[in-house]
Amino acid sequence: MRIGLIGGSGLYDIEGINVLDEISLTTPYGIPSASYKVGEIEEREIVFLPRHGISHNIPPHKVNYRANIWGFKNLGVERIISVNAVGGINRLLQPGDILIPNQIIDFTFGRRISTFYENDRVLHVDFTDPFCSELSHNILKASENVGIKVVKGGTYICVDGPRLETAKEIEFFSSIGCDVVGMTVMPEAVLARELEICYSSICVVTNPAAGISTKKLTSKEVLIMMKSSLYKIKSLIKGIVKLIPYDRHCQCKDALKDADL
Ligand code: HPA
């Protein structure tokens, strides 16, 4: 059972990890963002993919999410830990904070293909809890073990980008209970669910969302904050991998049961 790791902005490689193999795939949905690196952490096999490509040349609205997730499935990945840069909407959040979300609002308005089942098979997958409860629990437990403070739970609103939001949009997102805003969790999370892969996210707050601070937002601050948080993410990942049981006890593994019409 392999564990997948999706690197977001600022996380393009898994240096420090013993890389055993590098696999380039072509999928029925096209080509994934990069080749998959297979390596070992704590004697567990990890498959790493940088979502935006190795030189960050793929913007969030152009990522081939279906190819990426299908590739993980094809490589025997049963769980995916995703790293996502986010803007902080909740005023209690500061740049550098890490949040493990438990809910999603999809504000990408269907502009991204968000299903593997669009032709003959009519299937409605349950998405009440979009993140894997067992995997998220392991992330929270690992954060205690390695002494890295994380915020437990929160709502991630996913926008299409690539532009950042207006101040009024963020005010609206705040009024409907969103804590962080980002551009990548959807459709990644639902595509993983459709392939019965567990999926949880480690969100790194890289900036206060638009209008929360009076300063102009820059991509540079996102990358700088992401880079300076990498040491925390890496130690968290090591801690998580140690805790992940070989067998799954969550509902993700049976996501397709009773989902067909
Ligand atoms: N908005 C949307 N996506 C983001 C942000 C933001 O402020 N920061 C990092 N990803």
Side-chain angles (χ1 to χ4, degrees):
M1 195 283 293
R2 288 170 159 174
I3 300 165
L5 178 61
I6 304 183
S9 302
L11 182 56
Y12 311 115
D13 210 345
I14 43 169
E15 75 267 21
I17 291 165
N18 184 21
V19 176
L20 307 169
D21 202 0
E22 192 164 343
I23 303 169
S24 298
L25 285 182
T26 304
T27 79
Y29 305 97
I31 298 171
S33 297
S35 55
Y36 294 81
K37 284 190 179 161
V38 182
E40 253 180 11
I41 304 180
E42 302 289 334
E43 291 167 24
R44 298 290 292 269
E45 263 196 319
I46 303 292
V47 181
F48 176 79
L49 183 72
R51 179 188 291 114
H52 299 290
I54 43 172
S55 53
H56 204 136
N57 56 331
I58 311 170
H61 63 296
K62 287 279 175 68
V63 171
N64 190 340
Y65 294 98
R66 289 202 298 182
N68 288 354
I69 300 297
W70 191 94
F72 277 116
K73 182 78 179 179
N74 190 254
L75 294 173
V77 165
E78 288 187 349
R79 294 181 173 97
I80 293 176
I81 301 165
S82 165
V83 179
N84 305 86
V86 292
I89 297 176
N90 187 322
R91 285 171 189 272
L92 297 174
L93 295 171
Q94 302 297 324
D97 284 352
I98 295 177
L99 177 139
I100 313 304
N102 63 341
Q103 275 300 329
I104 295 175
I105 292 179
D106 185 2
F107 224 65
T108 62
F109 296 114
R111 279 191 288 254
R112 303 172 180 188
I113 305 176
S114 58
T115 183
F116 287 106
Y117 305 99
E118 48 176 4
N119 292 320
D120 338 326
R121 199 168 162 192
V122 180
L123 186 144
H124 302 286
V125 88
D126 179 81
F127 205 45
T128 308
D129 294 305
F131 298 103
C132 172
S133 54
E134 185 176 56
L135 189 53
S136 296
H137 173 78
N138 289 144
I139 298 175
L140 294 168
K141 197 95 197 86
S143 74
E144 284 169 23
N145 292 352
V146 298
I148 288 172
K149 199 175 137 262
V150 304
V151 178
K152 179 182 173 186
T155 298
Y156 178 121
I157 185 157
C158 191
V159 294
D160 210 31
R163 69 163 177 87
L164 294 165
E165 300 68 44
T166 66
K168 203 68 185 172
E169 283 169 340
I170 293 299
E171 206 181 300
F172 170 61
F173 296 164
S174 174
S175 76
I176 58 170
C178 301
D179 297 293
V180 293
V181 57
M183 301 181 189
T184 47
V185 147
M186 286 300 285
E188 232 169 56
V190 74
L191 292 172
R193 181 65 56 84
E194 283 193 348
L195 295 186
E196 301 187 325
I197 300 174
C198 300
Y199 180 96
S200 288
S201 161
I202 299 175
C203 289
V204 180
V205 179
T206 52
N207 55 283
I212 301 282
S213 111
T214 48
K215 280 200 296 182
K216 182 182 170 189
L217 302 180
T218 67
S219 299
K220 206 166 158 202
E221 73 183 298
V222 171
L223 281 186
I224 289 174
M225 191 43 77
M226 203 64 194
K227 290 227 156 94
S228 63
S229 303
L230 281 185
Y231 76 98
K232 285 199 275 187
I233 293 171
K234 282 180 188 162
S235 102
L236 192 51
I237 286 167
K238 271 194 180 175
I240 300 162
V241 168
K242 272 193 207 165
L243 291 181
I244 290 180
Y246 282 88
D247 293 329
R248 297 192 286 169
H249 308 94
C250 54
Q251 293 183 2
C252 313
K253 65 177 174 15
D254 302 314
L256 296 192
K257 210 169 139 202
D258 302 324
D260 279 286
L261 210 66

